[in-house]
Amino acid sequence: MATIDLRKKFLARKIYRGTQVILGERQHLQEVLHSVQKAKIAATRKRAEIRQLTNLIHVRTKELNQINPGWDRKFKQARDAKTNATQLLGLALSLPKDDYLLARVLTEHAEAPPELLAHFAAHPYAAVRENVARHPHTPATVLMRMAEDPSEPLWFLVACNPSTPSDLRERLRARMKQAAQSQP
């Protein structure tokens, strides 16, 4: 029986390193740096490890800024509850297409305006579309389009959205009951 060389399988696949992955790596490196700083190890080894970790953190920060200049500032602003709808919309309209994490944060924000949510309704990243489907500020026309899209099951999230028009919500809830009854 022929076996597949797994090393070749993984080498052939290109791995996408987006902002979520890079931020996760940087946060992990910061935790390791913190533990090394507290560790009781030889001073020369400690300095070397701190220097190496600091350089790796700097490289990750540089990667984030290559995707979206001023990434940390924008991320902090997008997560701030005090950021208003106009500022959020400005961040969304200037967002590079590869910055999936910032798109997720923007669509989770309580003050996200309807224009921002409509803008992200067809985003390539599923988590962003899911946030749009469940956000209470999403326009009814966008919710209807998302509920009727046969390519993905966002209709369930739309059915639970308080902004969904009542007639659509009732149809979708009937669909949920039908699906539940058909299951053994």
Side-chain angles (χ1 to χ4, degrees):
M1 184 170 135
T3 60
I4 298 171
D5 186 350
L6 291 178
R7 292 172 299 174
K8 288 182 183 177
K9 178 181 175 184
F10 288 112
L11 286 174
R13 243 179 84 195
K14 186 178 179 183
I15 297 171
Y16 176 71
R17 289 186 73 248
T19 49
Q20 287 183 198
V21 171
I22 297 167
L23 179 64
E25 290 172 356
R26 186 176 75 174
Q27 288 175 325
H28 179 72
L29 288 167
Q30 288 169 334
E31 289 172 15
V32 173
L33 174 63
H34 186 69
S35 65
V36 167
Q37 289 169 333
K38 288 183 170 184
K40 294 182 183 190
I41 54 178
T44 53
R45 178 180 168 200
K46 188 180 224 178
R47 278 193 303 273
E49 288 190 23
I50 289 172
R51 185 173 44 256
Q52 191 171 23
L53 287 165
T54 303
N55 287 338
L56 289 170
I57 291 167
H58 177 72
V59 168
R60 297 309 179 279
T61 302
K62 203 171 170 182
E63 283 182 273
L64 288 169
N65 287 326
Q66 285 174 338
I67 292 171
N68 192 351
W71 192 87
D72 283 308
R73 179 186 50 77
K74 292 174 184 176
F75 186 68
K76 184 178 179 183
Q77 184 179 14
R79 293 184 73 202
D80 188 352
K82 296 175 186 166
T83 303
N84 65 39
T86 306
Q87 293 169 316
L88 293 169
L89 191 56
L91 286 171
L93 295 176
S94 68
L95 189 69
K97 66 180 177 90
D98 290 340
D99 197 346
Y100 290 3
L101 180 56
L102 197 50
R104 271 186 58 200
V105 172
L106 288 168
T107 55
E108 290 169 351
H109 199 285
E111 298 300 318
E115 302 86 6
L116 179 145
L117 297 162
H119 176 75
F120 285 121
H123 195 275
Y125 189 43
V128 173
R129 294 188 305 276
E130 291 168 7
N131 286 346
V132 172
R134 72 170 68 91
H135 201 288
H137 294 165
T138 303
T141 55
V142 173
L143 291 171
M144 284 186 227
R145 193 172 50 238
M146 293 179 105
E148 294 166 0
D149 184 357
S151 66
E152 62 185 332
L154 292 173
W155 65 270
F156 185 82
L157 294 172
V158 172
C160 299
N161 188 323
S163 298
T164 300
S166 58
D167 59 324
L168 177 60
R169 188 178 314 119
E170 291 309 315
R171 280 188 308 189
L172 295 173
R173 287 185 177 172
R175 187 175 172 184
M176 278 192 275
K177 287 178 187 174
Q178 193 176 38
Q181 289 170 351
S182 68
Q183 299 227 341

